Each structure stands twice: as C-alpha cells, then as structure tokens.
Amino acid sequence: MPETRTESESRKLLGRLRDALAEDSAGQARLDHVVNIIASSMQTEVCSIYLFRDEETLELCATEGLAPDAVHQTRMRLGEGLVGRVARKKRIINTANAPAAKGFRYMPETGEERFSSFCGVPIQRLGDVLGVLVVQSKAAREFTTDEVYALEVVAMVLAEMTELGAFVGEGAALSARHQQAVMFRGTVGQEGAVEGKVYLHEPRVVVTNPISDDPESEAKRLTEAVEALRVSVDDMLADATGGNSEQVQILEAYRMFANSKGWMKRMLEDVENGLSAEAAVEKEQSLARTRMSQATDAYLRERLHDLDDLSNRLLRILTGQGADTGAEMPENPVLIARNIGPGELLDYGKKLRGIVLEEGSVGSHAAIVARAWAIPLIINAKGITTEALNGDTILVDGDQGVAHLRPDETVKTAFRDKMAMQARAQQRYASIRDLPAETLDGTVVALHMNAGLMADLPSLEGSGAEGVGLFRTELQFLIRNQMPRRAELSALYSHVMNAAGGRRVAFRTLDIGSDKVLPYMKPQDEPNPAMGWRAIRVGLDKPGVLRMQIQALIRAANGRPLTLMFPFIAQLEEYDAARAEVDKALERERILGHPIPEKLEIGAMLETPSLAFAPDDFFNRVDFLSIGGNDLKQFFFAADRENERVRRRYDTLNVSFLNFLEMIAERCAASNTSLSFCGEDAGRPIEALCFAAIGFSMLSMRPASVGPVKHLLRRSNLHEVKSVIDKARAGGAQSVRPAVMEWLAQQS
Ligand code: PEP
Ligand code: MG
C-alpha cells in the first residue's frame, strides 16, 4: 500500500462507492460490494462493517477478508474488543499490533489472527454511533493520516446510507436504524397513555446526497451558504444589540464559529475529497456532537451546542429546508422537541395528544400547561429528537415515563389494554362527579381546579370541581405577541365568569418573570430569575399593567362577586401596596359610574417561607391565603423546581415541609383566614389526603386530578390518616409517605 494517498484517490473511492450504492442489488449484496470496494481501493486484506443489532450488541454484517461464515454470527458487546471500544469511545483505534492493544479480544471464528494491523473508525451520524468500519492488514504498520481520513469520509457516507435504509433490501438481515423499535425512559411530566404519530418541533434536515462528483460546484455552494449564514448571524446580532446580554453573547459565539477559518477549511477539504456540501457540514456536526457528549466542561458543552445549532442553520440554507419543512401535522400528533417554552406550547394549542421532550423539567410552566390540558408528557427522554422521524408511530406512557417509538405489535396490544383500563377508571370517577369530597369522618374538602385559558373552562363541568381556585392570568399574556388591551382582557374575564356560572374564580394577577417571559417585554438580565424581579414585584414597581388588569377585572365582574389574589407576596407591605391599588381602582370606577363588585375577596399567594412568619396583622388583613406549593417547596428546600437533579430530592411529604404547612394551617385557623393549596401537589391523591388530614379544607388542582383525589378522600377517614402521620412523625420518619402508603394498602 502506498504511504501517502492523493486526494483524488479518495474521491475515486467515493465515486466507486456511489456507483455501488446506486446499483439495484439487495441490501446484503450491496453491503458486500461496499467492503470489497473499500478493501481493494485501500489495498488492505480486510475490510469489515459491524453494525448495532441493539443498543448493546454489535454484529459483523459484511466482510472482505475475514471468514465469510462469521458474517451475522460474530457479535460483541459495546466496549468489548477493539471494535466494541471504538463504538463506546466514539474514537478511532489505529494500531500496528492489534493483539497487543488494550482491550483486544480474539474472535476465532473470523480467522483474524493472521492480521496484525487494525484501524477502526466509528460510523456515526450526528453523534450517534451506528457501527464500526474496520480495515486490517497482515503487515504490522499503522495506517497513515490520509488513509484514516479516507476511512472517516467513507464512514460518514456509510452512515448516511444506513440512515436512508439504502442497504436494506427485502428480507435483508440488516435493518435501518430509523425503522427499528426504540424505547425511551424519561421522567413523568403528566400521566396518561396515548397512541399517536410523531410531530417534530424542529424537524431534522434530511441529507439525501452525501457524495458529489463535482467538487468545484459543491465548494461554491458551500462558500455561498456560509456567506449567507454569516450575513444572517450579523443581522440577528444587530437586532439583539442593546437587548439581553446573554443573547448577544450567544450570537457573538455564533459569529465566531461562522467566521472560523478552521471550520471552513475542514469542510472545503471534505468537499474536495468527494463529499457533498451537506455531508461535509454534517461530518463536522457529528464531530461536534461527539465532543459534546464527552465534554465535562459546561462552558465547552454550550459552545459545541452553538456549533451544532449553527450547522443546522447552514444545512437549512443548503437544502432550502426552512424551520418549517412543510410536514403536515398528523392526526393524533405527539410533539417531540428538545425543549419548549410555555408560549410555544400554547401556540400549538390543545390539538397535541402527547409531548416527549429530550430535556425540560416537571416544574416548568410548559409542563404546567401540558398538565392543565391533561396532555401526557415525558421529559428527559435522551436521544428522542435524533431518533424520531415525522410520522413515526409512538406510544406515550405518561404513567411510567416511557415512550415506545415504532413499537411492535405485542407492545401495541399491551398498551391498548392499558388505555382501555384507564378509560374504565375515568368512568368510575365520572360516577362520583356530582358528589362532594366528603371523607368517612364527615369532613368535606372543597376541590377546585386550576385554569388559565378559556379552553380550560369546559372542564369545570366535566371534572366536578366546585370552582377555579387558581386562574393563571399570565397564560393569556403569553399566547399573544403583543400586550393585550384592557377592553380585550375585560371581555375575556367576563367570559370566564360567565362560563363559571356563578362559581368562584380566583383570578391571580399577572405572574411573569422566572420562566414566564413575555415575548413583547424586554427580558431582564438576571442571574437567578426564579428569585428575581417577578410577579408582584414587577406589578408594584411598574404598576401600569397591574392597574390595567385590576380595572379589567372589575369591569368584567360588572357588579358580580370578584375574587383576586396576588402572586409571590413575601411581606405584609407588598400585600398592603397591592391592595391599595385595588382600592384606588375601585374608587376610580365608582367615580366613572361603573358598577363595583357586590363582594370582593382579595387574597395572597404564600409562595415564600417568609410569609408564613408574617405578623398576625397580615393574617388578619388578608381575605384568604393560597399556598403556591410549587414555588414554596423550591424555596423551602432551596431546590430549583426546574432542575431535575434536585427537584425530586425532597419529598413533599417530608416531615419538615409537612410541619411547616401544618403551622400555616394553624395560623390561618387561629385568625379565621381561609386557606387553600393550589400547587401541583394538591392534585396528587396521597399528598392531597395528607394535606386534608393536617387541616387544609380547600385544594385546587388540574381538572384531571379532581376525580382521583375525590375518589381517595371519599374512601378515607382523616382522623385515622392524621394519627398515621403523627405516629410516623413521632417515630422520627423523614417522610410520612411510607407509613401512609402502608395504611392505604391495608385499607384496600
Ligand atoms: C405555585 O407556585 O405553586 C403556583 C401555583 O404558581 P405557579 O406554578 O404558576 O408559579
Ligand atoms: Mg408560583
């Protein structure tokens, strides 16, 4: 074999490969042809392709030079032998003396003992390893940089071909990766089981032409596309300058990459060697993804993420596929996304049947929207965005946090049985819909629902809730692209009250900030937005919107009773100041001759521990208190509600938190202040049972939870539950959950 290879030889090899792949042979024959071409072009005795059969197993799928009988027989686990190590580490192994290399494992059936040198290159597409391409030779020598480069380019093309199912003929042993069933295990965001079709939030760009025979025109296309990319990044930067500094920083990094000479040079080299412009971009993107998965430094990971994003933009320019690839939304769409904000989710509306996110967090507002709509949601499903294709069948098991992509018939059947069972449970809840949540000891717990959109209101009838314990008014602000006007809001609130038909609706004034960012308001550059300028803090510092909202609510009530509450009150003075705004608004409306509410209740949300220790005066002055458990819990345990690593670390039924809630209930009872709990935990039956047992007589939850919570309350004696809790606390338990669960198990 010559020591150095010219670039045109690489190109010739790619040309021969392209011809072979264009032939009409069946999958296995085509694969055999490919290894034969590589071995002869590179003048090595052996060329083999190993592909994943499942997540953990690689199989020899084609070989030139090893024993033909070993094909589809020789298998190795991920990490096993040199091939397994290439796949696991996503790194090339190039050695003159394979038997002496770390991790070598001898596979007698292949007859490979005769070959001393070994070079294995991962076949990967966008950071996912599909298999390993190996060349071996008898002569003990390392393969040259040029040879390794040629192998990398070929591996890239193979990855594309495997991707497209180009090797797969009728009955071929090899199956394309994107046709296989895959299961993803994530975290439960919202329970429920649905069957649907994949709809990608950001569809992947499909590269259909990895090889080119006209490097000059490809280089021109690439150069023009990169130029267009640079212009678009400059434009974005010009738009963002003066705004959010984080965004500007990201764009600066984009610009740096877009102008990187090294990046451009490597891509042009690949094009020169026979790759199409798109494949050259993808090759770089694959490398960045591999590094991303291996980088331990968070900053570096972020930058590689930027490069990944930039590559996607470049691919869209090259292929002419915009963010919207024109894919039609299928029937029963299941949205697949890396992450999604509440505004984007609201844009989709209720038509989604399920949502699976690669990242995301249960405490986010997007998750809250999904729960409000009772759309099954799984988060942290690693790898789903690269695996799923538009239109794939998917089963979302929100109860287990599992998604089955392209499931086989057995899984589908079992899943459909489960859905039927759930439908029967729903019927059971429907049968108690009009009955009170009265426990066996005669305590009646008021169950209300959380809402935020007009579309939620019909659930009031269906769920059996007595009223709306929390109306998140910010959702109306989030779904618009400009600030709603007073008349618009007033009409909307009036509709809500009409739809509630006289039942109480607790309107919470605008709670923005943290992860609820209005697209038309200048974002704040804050190191820690959850503890930053949000909710009532914004309302009091810039009272224009708060005043407008209060006025809209008074006008909507048009003389009817009105209930409103302020979010995130941390001290008495904030409540007084907010209430003073209501008094002023009432006075103005009176002067203008508008009717004022016949009854007005003004409450506060207890979301920071400080408020639990407020002076008695506060408890005497406030008309009611509602615990925003999502925020309260995150501040009580100092555990970010959006950070999956810490969010579930502390149980809601941890005795410290339960004691704290009980203390609040006792202070409210002593001052005769009505109290409710409206965080997500109120909708979890066991949590709800414990809250009721320690003195909460009103709970507000998503509509779908009213049935299950009522069902459990009606079967329970709160005195007994309270004594189980007390006993667990006296016994030094960290959480009362195990004791309550055990008691429940004895009941049934
Ligand atoms: C809460 O914090 O529990 C709450 C109900 O408010 P949000 O989830 O909208 O912050
Ligand atoms: Mg809150």
Side-chain angles (χ1 to χ4, degrees), residues 52 55-58 76-80 84-85 87-89:
F52 274 102
E55 261 178 51
E56 288 288 319
T57 321
L58 284 150
M76 63 224 30
R77 313 266 307 156
L78 180 63
E80 189 187 16
R85 284 170 77 84
R88 161 161 288 165
K89 304 251 182 206

Side-chain angles (χ1 to χ4, degrees), residues 26 31 76 129 162 188 411 417 517 549 595 599 639 641 661 669 709:
L31 209 57
M76 63 224 30
V129 179
T162 313
V188 177
V411 174
D417 287 349
V517 183
Q549 206 185 9
K599 179 176 169 229
R641 64 192 263 189
L661 293 178
V709 167

Side-chain angles (χ1 to χ4, degrees), residues 365 472 508 511 516 534 567-568 605 607 628-632 641:
H365 284 92
R472 291 183 165 100
R508 171 174 77 181
D511 180 13
K516 290 182 270 197
R534 56 175 288 200
F568 220 67
M605 285 191 69
E607 303 188 88
N630 308 333
D631 275 312
L632 185 64
R641 64 192 263 189

Side-chain angles (χ1 to χ4, degrees), residues 79-101:
E80 189 187 16
L82 296 186
V83 172
R85 284 170 77 84
V86 171
R88 161 161 288 165
K89 304 251 182 206
K90 301 185 183 179
R91 270 198 219 126
I92 295 167
I93 293 182
N94 180 10
T95 170
N97 186 359

